C-alpha cells in the first residue's frame, strides 16, 4: 500500500481525504501487527515516530533508491515530486539514465548527510527523519520542517498557519481528448515471486 500525497491529482483531494491523527495511529498499529506481510516501500516511515520502526525503508527514498522517468525522459527525484525543483536531468540530453542517476547534482545533494532543520531537536527525528519531501513541498511547508502528517502534531500546527502560495507541478502529463487510433491490448505478466528482501536498492534483485 502507498500513502496519499498532496501531489498531482492527490493535491485536489488531500485536504479532505488525508488521514486524521487517530486514523494514522490505527494504520500504524495495523502495519506493525502485519509486519513483513505488507509491502509499503518508503510510504509510512513518518509513522515510526509512534514507536517501533516499520518494515521497509525508514527514510525518504527520493534520489536514493527511487526516481521517476517521465514520457519525455525527464528524471525526477520522486514519482510524487514532479516539479522543476526536483528535476535531476534528462536521459536523452544528459547522457543516459546511468549518468543522471550517478552524477546529477540533485541526487548527490539528496544522498549527502541531511540536517534536521526545525526537526533536529525533536526526540523522534531519528525515527522519521523529518518525513516526506513531496508532502512537505506540495503543502507549502519548508523542506527542513516537519511532515504535514507529523504524528507529534508539529506539521498540523504549521498547516493551520498561513502557508502562502502552494506549489503546483511544473508539468501536466494528463491526456486530453480521445485517441484517434485505439491501441491493441498490452500483454501483462504478473510476478508472484516476493522481492529478494524487503527493500533492496536494486529493483532487479533476485531476478534472472
Amino acid at each position: 500500500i502507498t500513502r496519499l500525497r498532496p501531489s498531482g491529482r492527490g493535491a485536489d483531494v488531500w485536504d479532505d481525504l488525508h488521514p486524521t491523527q487517530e486514523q494514522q495511529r490505527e494504520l500504524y498499529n495495523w502495519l506493525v501487527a502485519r509486519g513483513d506481510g505488507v509491502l509499503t516501500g518508503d510510504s509510512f516511515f513518518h509513522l515510526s515516530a509512534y514507536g517501533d520502526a516499520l518494515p521497509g525503508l525508514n527514510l525518504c527514498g527520493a534520489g536514493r533508491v527511487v526516481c521517476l522517468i517521465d514520457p519525455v525522459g525527464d528524471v525526477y527525484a520522486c514519482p510524487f515530486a514532479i516539479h522543476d525543483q526536483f528535476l535531476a536531468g534528462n536521459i536523452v540530453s544528459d547522457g543516459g539514465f546511468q549518468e543522471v542517476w550517478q552524477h546529477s547534482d540533485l541526487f548527490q545533494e539528496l544522498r549527502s548527510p541531511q540536517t534536521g532543520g526545525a526537526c533536529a531537536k525533536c526526540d523522534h527525528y531519528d525515527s522519521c527523519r523529518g518525513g516526506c519531501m513531496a508532502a512537505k513541498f506540495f503543502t507549502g511547508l519548508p523542506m527542513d520542517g516537519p511532515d504535514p502528517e507529523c504524528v507529534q502534531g508539529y506539521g498540523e500546527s504549521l498547516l493551520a498557519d498561513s502557508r502562502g502560495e502552494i506549489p503546483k507541478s511544473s508539468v501536466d502529463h494528463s491526456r486530453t481528448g480521445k485517441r484517434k487510433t485505439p491501441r491493441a491490448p498490452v500483454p501483462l505478466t504478473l510476478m508472484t515471486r516476493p522481492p529478494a528482501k524487503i527493500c533492496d536498492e536494486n529493483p532487479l534483485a533476485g531476478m534472472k
Side-chain angles (χ1 to χ4, degrees):
I1 60 175
T2 191
R3 177 184 179 184
L4 173 66
R5 273 88 161 185
S7 62
R9 293 292 180 262
D12 298 333
V13 298
W14 191 83
D15 284 335
D16 295 325
L17 297 182
H18 79 92
T20 63
Q21 289 282 1
E22 292 76 15
Q23 290 169 332
Q24 288 202 102
R25 183 74 201 213
E26 184 178 354
L27 174 60
Y28 170 78
N29 292 336
W30 185 85
L31 290 171
V32 169
R34 281 152 183 79
D36 294 343
V38 179
L39 299 181
T40 62
D42 66 346
S43 281
F44 300 107
F45 65 93
H46 68 293
L47 298 181
S48 295
Y50 277 130
D52 296 330
L54 296 171
L57 189 63
N58 278 294
L59 78 163
C60 177
R64 298 179 179 92
V65 296
V66 69
C67 67
L68 171 104
I69 304 175
D70 79 357
V72 298
D74 285 336
V75 182
Y76 294 91
C78 170
F80 301 100
I82 302 178
H83 189 278
D84 286 345
Q85 184 164 328
F86 306 108
L87 178 61
N90 183 281
I91 61 173
V92 178
S93 60
D94 294 326
F97 176 72
Q98 183 173 353
E99 178 66 24
V100 175
W101 178 253
Q102 293 182 347
H103 302 294
S104 78
D105 292 340
L106 175 64
F107 287 165
Q108 294 298 321
E109 179 184 350
L110 290 173
R111 294 165 190 165
S112 64
Q114 304 291 309
T115 61
C119 295
K121 296 181 180 179
C122 177
D123 293 338
H124 303 280
Y125 177 71
D126 288 340
S127 299
C128 77
R129 311 301 297 178
C132 173
M133 177 181 75
K136 288 188 278 191
F137 183 77
F138 286 113
T139 51
L141 297 183
M143 297 302 293
D144 63 351
D147 189 290
E149 293 179 331
C150 167
V151 300
Q152 300 301 315
Y154 299 127
E156 199 171 69
S157 61
L158 284 180
L159 287 174
D161 297 334
S162 175
R163 291 175 278 165
E165 185 176 352
I166 297 177
K168 295 185 180 296
S169 177
S170 307
V171 296
D172 186 354
H173 292 122
S174 300
R175 184 175 62 243
T176 58
K178 295 182 179 180
R179 287 198 184 106
K180 295 181 179 179
T181 305
R183 293 180 180 174
V186 178
L188 177 64
T189 302
L190 297 178
M191 293 179 59
T192 57
R193 183 175 64 254
K197 57 183 179 179
I198 293 300
C199 189
D200 201 301
E201 291 188 8
N202 181 359
L204 302 180
M207 298 180 65
K208 296 182 179 179

